[in-house]
């Protein structure tokens, strides 16, 4: 039997209960051994999900010697504190995106994990779905020619606005941090390039002071122009499109193919007039957890590198700077 990483979960957040914990339980090299909550829900959630141990504080879980690693789905503003505390307790860390609200804080997290010799990764689960590697292969083949533009969109209509933490500015709310970060990440990831200039604008909720809709433009180092939009007040979308000199690739379930049984759809259209659809299957959350667990077991760093995580934070911070100043940001 393959050795398994023993995971503890810091929070009973919906993403943990409904998606990540079940994924860990499906993984071949991971298991959930404990869960903690500050809300008093840990015991009932543990019974519901078949988790053997529950704690009523995060510190208690970090003191558990039977926990090898922690998954942190806490509000964005709490990621720094609990990643550093976990590292000090010699726990490996998978932290939900965005890792932190600024580059400086991500660097603090990275340094704490390095000093304590523990694994650290930001949880951008979408990148583990094999449809994105297929897109990269199509681009590399030259089928759609030289890439000139990429567009990415991620939106949904947020209904419970008075109680949802996404609407809390103090907790790191807003559409860019919640879903726009996927657009920015996928542009950097798929194009394998970094922005040299960007300009971003937002519509803010006047009562909650969070961005409800954000749109931006980035000029990449390789010359490609990239556009993105994200929103809490639009019809649901999670897609990207890459346009070349001879054709284009559209990915219509870019970030959440898991809600469609893990089936991603890639549409390729070329200047010959031909169009085809490819269905690519994958369990992205299981693949993410198995990758993180394998790295921990083998003492390796994640394929999604520390430098990449720092750069992601740097770009997001620049996006917010552009929104606040109304200026084009140059790197």
């Amino acid at each position: 039997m393959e050795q398994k990483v023993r995971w503890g979960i810091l929070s009973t957040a919906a993403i943990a209960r409904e998606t990540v914990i079940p994924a860990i339980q499906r993984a071949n090299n991971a298991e959930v051994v404990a869960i903690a909550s500050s809300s008093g829900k840990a015991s009932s959630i543990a019974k519901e999900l078949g988790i053997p141990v529950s704690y009523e504080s995060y510190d208690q879980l970090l003191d558990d010697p039977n926990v090898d690693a922690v998954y942190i789905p806490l509000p964005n503003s709490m990621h720094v504190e609990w990643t550093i505390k976990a590292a000090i307790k010699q726990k490996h860390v998978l932290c939900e995106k965005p890792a932190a609200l600024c580059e400086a804080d991500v660097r603090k997290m990275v340094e704490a994990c390095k000093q304590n010799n523990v694994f650290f990764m930001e949880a951008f689960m979408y990148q583990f779905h094999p449809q994105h590697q297929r897109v990269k292969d199509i681009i590399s083949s030259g089928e759609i020619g030289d890439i000139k533009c990429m567009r990415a969109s991620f939106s949904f209509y947020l209904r419970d606005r008075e109680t949802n933490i996404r609407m809390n500015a103090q907790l790191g709310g807003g559409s860019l941090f919640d879903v726009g970060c996927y657009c920015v990440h996928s542009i950097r990831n798929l194009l394998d390039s970094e922005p040299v200039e960007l300009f971003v604008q937002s519509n803010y909720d006047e009562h909650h002071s969070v961005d409800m809709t954000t749109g931006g433009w980035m000029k990449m180092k390789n010359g490609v122009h990239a556009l993105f939009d994200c929103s809490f007040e639009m019809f649901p979308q999670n897609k990207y499109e890459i346009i070349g000199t001879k054709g284009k690739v559209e990915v219509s379930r870019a970030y959440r193919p898991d809600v469609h049984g893990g089936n991603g759809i890639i549409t390729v259209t070329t200047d010959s007039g031909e169009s085809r659809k490819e269905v690519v299957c994958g369990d992205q959350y299981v693949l993410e957890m198995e990758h993180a667990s394998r790295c921990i077991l083998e003492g390796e760093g994640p394929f999604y590198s520390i430098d990449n995580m720092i750069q992601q934070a740097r770009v997001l911070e620049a996006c917010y700077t552009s929104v606040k100043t109304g200026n084009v940001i140059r790197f």
Side-chain angles (χ1 to χ4, degrees), residues 65-319:
N66 294 314
V67 172
D68 302 315
V70 294
Y71 166 65
I72 302 178
L74 293 165
N76 297 335
S77 62
M78 299 173 69
H79 291 177
V80 184
E81 175 187 359
W82 289 102
T83 293
I84 292 174
K85 285 184 175 180
I88 291 171
K89 294 290 186 175
Q90 301 292 305
K91 308 300 185 187
H92 303 285
V93 178
L94 177 66
C95 180
E96 260 307 330
K97 56 79 210 163
L101 306 183
C102 65
E103 179 186 355
D105 281 347
V106 175
R107 289 185 180 276
K108 291 177 186 176
M109 298 158 79
V110 166
E111 185 59 28
C113 291
K114 281 184 178 179
Q115 286 182 354
N116 291 280
N117 196 31
V118 297
F119 171 90
F120 174 58
M121 190 174 81
E122 182 179 24
F124 273 108
M125 80 300 176
Y126 87 94
Q127 65 188 320
F128 292 90
H129 194 283
Q131 66 179 337
H132 308 294
Q133 183 57 53
R134 177 59 187 144
V135 169
K136 291 179 180 180
D137 292 342
I138 292 168
I139 292 171
S140 297
S141 74
E143 184 178 6
I144 64 170
D146 297 329
I147 306 306
K148 296 298 179 182
C149 181
M150 179 170 175
R151 304 186 184 108
S153 300
F154 200 172
S155 63
F156 65 97
Y157 193 85
L158 182 61
R159 300 187 183 280
D160 55 335
R161 299 185 184 181
E162 294 307 313
T163 58
N164 198 296
I165 64 169
R166 294 177 176 89
M167 297 297 294
N168 189 323
Q170 299 303 311
L171 295 179
S175 66
L176 180 57
F177 275 142
D178 190 58
V179 286
C181 62
Y182 288 100
C183 300
V184 171
H185 191 277
S186 60
I187 288 168
R188 298 177 49 250
N189 180 14
L190 274 296
L191 298 179
D192 192 24
S193 188
E194 298 295 342
V196 292
E197 294 181 56
L198 61 78
F199 179 70
V200 182
Q201 290 188 314
S202 299
N203 292 338
Y204 272 74
D205 181 280
E206 61 181 19
H207 299 296
H208 298 89
S209 299
V210 298
D211 64 293
M212 297 298 290
T213 297
T214 293
W217 161 86
M218 296 191 289
K219 181 180 179 182
M220 310 304 285
K221 188 174 182 179
N222 61 7
V224 176
H225 285 252
L227 306 169
F228 72 88
D229 62 82
C230 57
S231 183
F232 288 160
E233 51 188 1
M234 296 199 313
F235 182 80
Q237 296 186 96
N238 76 110
K239 63 183 182 180
Y240 63 73
E241 179 181 35
I242 300 173
I243 305 163
T245 54
K246 298 193 299 182
K248 65 179 181 178
V249 175
E250 298 171 90
V251 180
S252 57
R253 299 171 179 173
Y255 311 113
R256 293 303 307 272
D258 56 293
V259 300
H260 300 281
N263 294 325
I265 298 177
I266 299 170
T267 304
V268 183
T269 306
T270 63
D271 57 7
S272 65
E274 296 181 356
S275 180
R276 72 173 187 278
K277 289 186 184 293
E278 299 182 12
V279 177
V280 181
C281 303
D283 192 336
Q284 60 189 21
Y285 282 100
V286 168
L287 291 169
E288 176 185 54
M289 296 311 306
E290 288 183 343
H291 175 75
S293 298
R294 185 166 57 253
C295 289
I296 291 167
L297 291 170
E298 297 177 0
E300 298 179 354
F303 91 95
Y304 174 40
S305 72
I306 293 297
D307 288 343
N308 200 327
M309 296 178 221
I310 292 172
Q311 180 63 14
Q312 172 71 8
R314 183 186 184 205
V315 175
L316 284 179
E317 190 171 2
C319 288

Side-chain angles (χ1 to χ4, degrees), residues 1-7 24-33 66-69 289-290 292-294 296-297:
M1 183 179 296
E2 185 170 358
Q3 186 180 357
K4 294 187 176 184
V5 173
R6 301 169 297 178
W7 288 88
I24 297 173
Q25 293 170 332
R26 294 195 303 274
N28 60 28
N29 60 356
E31 59 182 336
V32 182
V33 298
N66 294 314
V67 172
D68 302 315
M289 296 311 306
E290 288 183 343
S293 298
R294 185 166 57 253
I296 291 167
L297 291 170

